[in-house]
Amino acid sequence: MEKFLGSWKQYKEENLDAYLRAKGVPWIARTMASATSYHTQYTMIRKLVDTVFKLNEEYDLPRMDGSPGRTCFSLEEEAKLFVQTNKPQTGEPERIVREVNVEGSLVQTLTAGDIVCKRFFAKE
């Protein structure tokens, strides 16, 4: 778990706009999403999200569009993957997988139906 903690700054993204569009995020919010930084206390679409959690416990967490939802964080594959499972009130559950690759970058993979988005972060 320690390797996932700290301050991370995004340096590259792949297919983010298509992913956010599929999730129903408005254009202006999709445009601002590229400026997101990631930390244990991180900024998401210019909104500070301070998330304190225990692994494998479900709790309330507003979604990117502001609608209510529940989420759960877990470690999988012998702590190689940090997984966030979101359960919106309506629509399909979503899964966000974070892993630290051999270069030391944090890679976040988001999936919406058949659309896959990847975001890459460097540790600050």
Side-chain angles (χ1 to χ4, degrees):
M1 182 68 192
E2 295 298 318
K3 66 183 174 184
F4 296 103
L5 301 179
S7 182
W8 298 85
K9 183 167 180 68
Q10 179 178 308
Y11 66 87
K12 183 171 105 173
E13 64 188 44
E14 296 172 357
N15 217 19
L16 179 61
D17 188 67
Y19 171 81
L20 294 174
R21 190 175 331 115
K23 301 306 293 176
V25 176
W27 176 82
I28 192 71
R30 293 195 321 261
T31 302
M32 292 187 309
S34 294
T36 300
S37 61
Y38 184 87
H39 189 270
T40 51
Q41 181 182 59
Y42 61 97
T43 303
M44 181 172 63
I45 308 179
R46 301 209 187 264
K47 175 182 169 187
L48 180 66
V49 178
D50 186 9
T51 305
V52 178
F53 60 90
K54 291 183 180 176
L55 289 174
N56 303 311
E57 283 189 17
E58 193 173 281
Y59 65 96
D60 293 325
L61 180 70
R63 296 169 37 83
M64 287 191 294
D65 63 3
S67 65
R70 302 214 22 101
T71 197
C72 181
F73 289 95
S74 61
L75 291 174
E76 295 182 6
E77 295 186 26
E78 299 177 15
K80 291 180 184 173
L81 302 178
F82 181 46
V83 179
Q84 178 180 351
T85 305
N86 298 326
K87 298 177 184 175
Q89 284 188 333
T90 59
E92 293 294 314
E94 58 192 15
R95 186 173 154 95
I96 301 170
V97 177
R98 295 170 181 93
E99 62 183 307
V100 177
N101 64 19
V102 294
E103 292 86 24
S105 294
L106 184 133
V107 180
Q108 182 183 57
T109 304
L110 306 97
T111 306
D114 61 349
I115 298 171
V116 176
C117 165
K118 288 194 179 222
R119 301 177 78 187
F120 301 84
F121 299 83
K123 195 148 196 169
E124 292 188 314

